Amino acid sequence: MSARLLLVLRQLRRPQLAAPCRALGSGGGPESLLGQRRLQDGQVRSSRNRAGRVPGRKEAVRRQVLRNAEEIISFSYYSSPEMKPVLAVIQAGNDNLMQEINQNLAEEAGLNITHICLPPDSSEDEIIDEILKTNEDTRVHGLALQIPGNSLSNKVLNALKPEKDVDGVTDINLGKLVRGDAHECFVSPVARAVVELLEKSGINLNGKKVLVVGAHGSLEAAVQCLLQRKGSMTMSCQWETPQLQSKLHEANIVVLGSPKPEEIPLAWIQPGTTVLSCSHDFLSGKLECGSPRVHSSGLIVEDDVSLLAAALRIQNVVSSGRRWLREQQYTRWRLHCLKLQPLSPVPSDIEISRRQTPKAVDVLAKEIGLLADEIEIYGKSKAKVCLSVLERLKDQADGKYVLVAGITPTPLGEGKSTVTIGLVQALTAHLNVNSFACLRQPSQGPTFGVKGGAAGGGYAQVIPMEEFNLHLTGDIHAITAANNLLAAAIDTRILHENTQADKALYNRLVPLVNGVRAFSEIQLARLKKLDIHKTDPSTLTDEEVSRFARLNIDPSTITWQRVLDTNDRFLRKITIGQASTEKGFSRQAQFDIAVASEIMAVLALTDSLADMKERLGRMVVASDKNGQPVTAEDLGVTGALTVLMKDAIKPNLMQTLEGTPVFVHAGPFANIAHGNSSVLADKIALKLVGEEGFVVTEAGFGADIGMEKFFNIKCRASGLVPNVVVLVATVRALKMHGGGPSVTAGVPLKKEYTEENIQLVADGCCNLQKQIQIAQLFGVPVVVAVNIFSRTDTRAEIDLVCELAKRAGAFDAVPCHHWSVGGKGSVKLARAVREAASKRSRFQFLYDVQLPIVEKIRTIAQAVYGAKDIELSPEAQSKIERYTQQGFGNLPICMAKTHLSLSHQPDKKGVPRGFILPITDVRASIGAGFIYPLVGTVS
């Protein structure tokens, strides 16, 4: 600590002289840096002992403030070791003394401080830019300015975030103070110091006449407001005010907000008047020296205000830090649900969606406990949620986990998404239970095809439905870009290896940069994989250069296809490489739908950015000519793929028609992939809803496909344990399984589906019973949701379905009317789910992943589908042997099978028995982490 600072702090402890006119403050001269006027030796000696206890009391005030701050920090550190408040001070110029004072007080209280020094001639825009940067720094809890007074414009002051404005200078903080909400804002430390010093000096402010002279802006407003709240009659004026002498003469207390001009005689102040100077400008850091001269009677001016204000500023920083710490913890939802006014007949989905005005997404995010820096807003109704929320809420217990699955559907779908949304609307908007829906993002293929969108329907929708069903935030486009980048890298690598010698290829891969050749991290990893333990590119032998540079991809084994999120049947089989620049290298290839890319499955199953990068690197794209797998990591594109996916990994936040939260993230199909939304969306939602809340997610198609993969693949990857399965059934689908005529999209339903037919329903309930049994294999209670079509379903049919479901072992079976009336129509379902979730889950996997691949396939075929056995094609058998030899035999199984039947034949309804399940091919998604057999003719 400097000698000057020691002097300043020592002066705090000096005894104060008793005098008819008392002055407490900081307006001093240059001799005692913070403005204390030195008295003549005789004056000091004659008066030192008369009021020696006064400064002790004032010093005690400052010490108590710092001690309280220190205790709060210690307590906060005990409950959260990473917590230590940080004050950032932006100053224009180098005021070393103020830096030392701030630093010393901060150390005494136990917080950190950082000074951001700008040039003295910094422009307003430069200062504001620095303020805005510091506003967004989550490590900073308080922000103060020490800049020249002529730079303190309203624009500069209001650039401060109110929650970090520890000097209380922003319009928002001042407005709250004036309105009487001082507990909700930061109050000027200087103004607080004035009031506290007056009160601690034994002065009763009630009824006193107080004149505030020479104060400006926020200080003037804050001092006046605080003094008036104490009952004083407060006036404010400037030094140039006419009749200043009479105003000073009438005042009991005078507060000097700026140095007194020399031409204003001190004699204008009546003897016995309390004078308190706060002319040391804490915002500018200047130490003024124009305060009143010493009366011959022994008047002394001290810097009590300035240093107490500095201590109170520290206290504000600590308060800000405590508020930040509270925000880091789980907070109760303050959700404002939107009202529905259902019409009859029910309008079209798009009409319903457009009639409801969604809440601003940042409002929704705040209501459910997300912090401002945890969301990235896309327009008015969508936002990305940052993964940092998982770290913040890591100690928060998860809510209940509910899966919505269904019976084997008709081509029209049976409304799992609609049930999911109706259920969360019922839970949150009608039962006041926190709930989150987690849905898949729909592909443009089905959206522009016969099936249409996937935002739900009727009065159980995600809104705006156009945003949901189309581009959303571009995740599928990112997947398309990453997938096709990898596809291009494969063919480019084959071309270069076919047309270049080892040395030329090596020089391309490890080029000279500024005369230096060095391996990248990904190349060092490849060298390690090849068992080449060298780090200097110049030391590799010719044989090692060849092994490193050549992947020797066998074109006939390439499994990685290009993708497009459009149904374009003419791209299903193409020839690539026909341009002359490809030098005769061409091959047969194809385009898949974008959501079938393994990158989509990786996105859905990953749990962090680092994990996603590893998974992307592990993706096998082909085999080399020795039968060994070639990965994205071998091609050196893992980093590029990760960069393309860095935003897509963040779940998308939207809302239902009733204003309840929805995560929309990832969209793998359930027949050719695992058919579930992302693990990350579920994990974040489970933290946000709290221990008593519910996260409701859906699995694609029937329970035999989507639910089985949810349990065996997704839950195995996430470690999450489901509490309840909601099994969606419709009278329409059950009639089809009971022997009704075929249902075709775009063709009117036959009369069997529009008229009551109890026998068809009874016969078709075999499929419902089978799906209940499948769920029971995993030890999870089942609640059947009968999705009602009010125009065609009869009470007798609905009651029969509910009765037979309960007989088959369902915990409960409930008719649902959410499509026509919203969440109110699913309240019974919500209550049944809550009750079922209160029971103990006995969740278990269907098989051990250590079993051979063939045995795992057979277990699914027999236990889930009801097959007698499986039949492997020679190609499938060969692939299984290859994957086992390559070390992939311990991965779970993702069956690629038709969704229209429990068997491999789409026209076999109900519960087919005694069939042999043909496995025509087997492929591996090593990055996603599963083996997927192709069943029958599925493409």
Side-chain angles (χ1 to χ4, degrees), residues 132 363-364 434 460 598 701 896:
L132 295 178
V363 173
L364 173 64
N434 292 354
E598 184 177 351
F701 299 127

Side-chain angles (χ1 to χ4, degrees), residues 490-613:
I490 295 167
D491 289 311
T492 301
R493 186 59 173 264
I494 293 173
L495 174 68
H496 286 315
E497 290 188 21
N498 284 343
T499 56
Q500 295 184 46
D502 291 349
K503 199 64 177 176
L505 197 58
Y506 185 70
N507 289 339
R508 275 177 172 266
L509 292 169
V510 194
L512 278 170
V513 179
N514 296 325
V516 177
R517 195 189 301 275
F519 291 123
S520 65
E521 286 188 19
I522 199 169
Q523 290 174 334
L524 290 170
R526 173 157 170 76
L527 287 168
K528 185 177 180 181
K529 179 180 176 180
L530 295 171
D531 203 27
I532 301 173
H533 303 288
K534 296 179 179 179
T535 57
D536 185 350
S538 64
T539 62
L540 268 63
T541 66
D542 289 345
E543 185 268 339
E544 289 170 339
V545 165
S546 181
R547 286 171 56 208
F548 171 81
R550 294 194 177 276
L551 298 179
N552 288 321
I553 296 171
D554 180 353
S556 67
T557 66
I558 295 173
T559 56
W560 196 264
Q561 309 297 343
R562 289 162 173 81
V563 298
L564 185 69
D565 199 37
T566 302
N567 285 343
D568 189 344
R569 64 189 312 120
F570 292 95
L571 293 177
R572 292 176 184 173
K573 189 67 67 177
I574 60 173
T575 301
I576 62 171
Q578 297 190 76
S580 59
T581 51
E582 275 53 76
K583 303 177 182 178
F585 170 66
S586 64
R587 65 180 181 89
Q588 290 286 306
Q590 67 187 58
F591 272 83
D592 293 338
I593 195 77
V595 294
S597 170
E598 184 177 351
I599 296 177
M600 175 62 87
V602 166
L603 175 66
L605 291 170
T606 191
D607 63 7
S608 68
L609 189 64
D611 177 64
M612 182 175 71
K613 184 177 181 181

Side-chain angles (χ1 to χ4, degrees), residues 616-759:
L616 292 172
R618 291 200 304 263
M619 293 187 305
V620 174
V621 300
S623 296
D624 64 20
K625 292 172 183 177
N626 295 320
Q628 295 303 305
V630 177
T631 66
E633 183 85 357
D634 293 328
L635 286 158
V637 297
T638 308
L641 300 182
T642 306
V643 167
L644 287 171
M645 294 292 294
K646 68 179 178 63
D647 293 317
I649 196 174
K650 303 167 190 172
N652 304 293
L653 177 65
M654 295 187 75
Q655 64 193 279
T656 67
L657 278 166
E658 297 191 54
T660 66
V662 179
F663 273 144
V664 188
H665 198 216
F669 286 155
N671 52 356
I672 56 174
H674 72 286
N676 291 274
S677 61
S678 77
V679 165
L680 280 169
D682 290 357
K683 284 191 170 185
I684 294 174
L686 284 165
K687 295 297 183 186
L688 289 172
V689 296
E691 192 169 4
E692 301 303 317
F694 286 78
V695 171
V696 184
T697 187
E698 55 94 25
F701 299 127
D704 57 305
I705 297 182
M707 184 187 72
E708 180 271 315
K709 295 171 182 177
F710 173 85
F711 289 145
N712 282 322
I713 297 175
K714 184 175 181 180
C715 289
R716 209 184 291 267
S718 68
L720 300 174
V721 176
N723 298 93
V724 183
V725 168
V726 174
L727 195 63
V728 179
T730 62
V731 170
R732 178 181 67 193
L734 292 172
K735 286 180 176 179
M736 179 189 72
H737 289 297
S742 62
V743 176
T744 305
V747 176
L749 293 171
K750 302 290 196 315
K751 64 182 181 63
E752 287 84 354
Y753 298 103
T754 58
E755 298 174 2
E756 184 176 282
N757 193 321
I758 298 295
Q759 189 59 50

Side-chain angles (χ1 to χ4, degrees), residues 903-924:
S903 75
H904 58 287
Q905 297 173 292
D907 58 333
K908 299 295 184 183
K909 306 301 182 184
V911 182
R913 302 181 189 278
F915 59 94
I916 303 296
L917 192 74
I919 309 299
T920 55
D921 196 3
V922 176
R923 296 178 187 170

Side-chain angles (χ1 to χ4, degrees), residues 361-373:
V361 72
D362 58 327
V363 173
L364 173 64
K366 186 176 182 180
E367 289 177 342
I368 61 175
L370 287 167
L371 306 182
D373 60 358

Side-chain angles (χ1 to χ4, degrees), residues 441-463:
Q441 180 184 354
S443 163
Q444 283 183 189
T447 297
F448 288 106
V450 173
K451 181 179 180 296
Y459 287 100
Q461 289 190 58
V462 180
I463 56 171

Side-chain angles (χ1 to χ4, degrees), residues 468-499:
F468 178 97
N469 283 321
L470 299 177
H471 304 283
L472 198 60
T473 56
D475 293 351
I476 294 180
H477 301 317
I479 290 167
T480 303
N483 184 100
N484 293 344
L485 175 67
L486 180 52
I490 295 167
D491 289 311
T492 301
R493 186 59 173 264
I494 293 173
L495 174 68
H496 286 315
E497 290 188 21
N498 284 343
T499 56

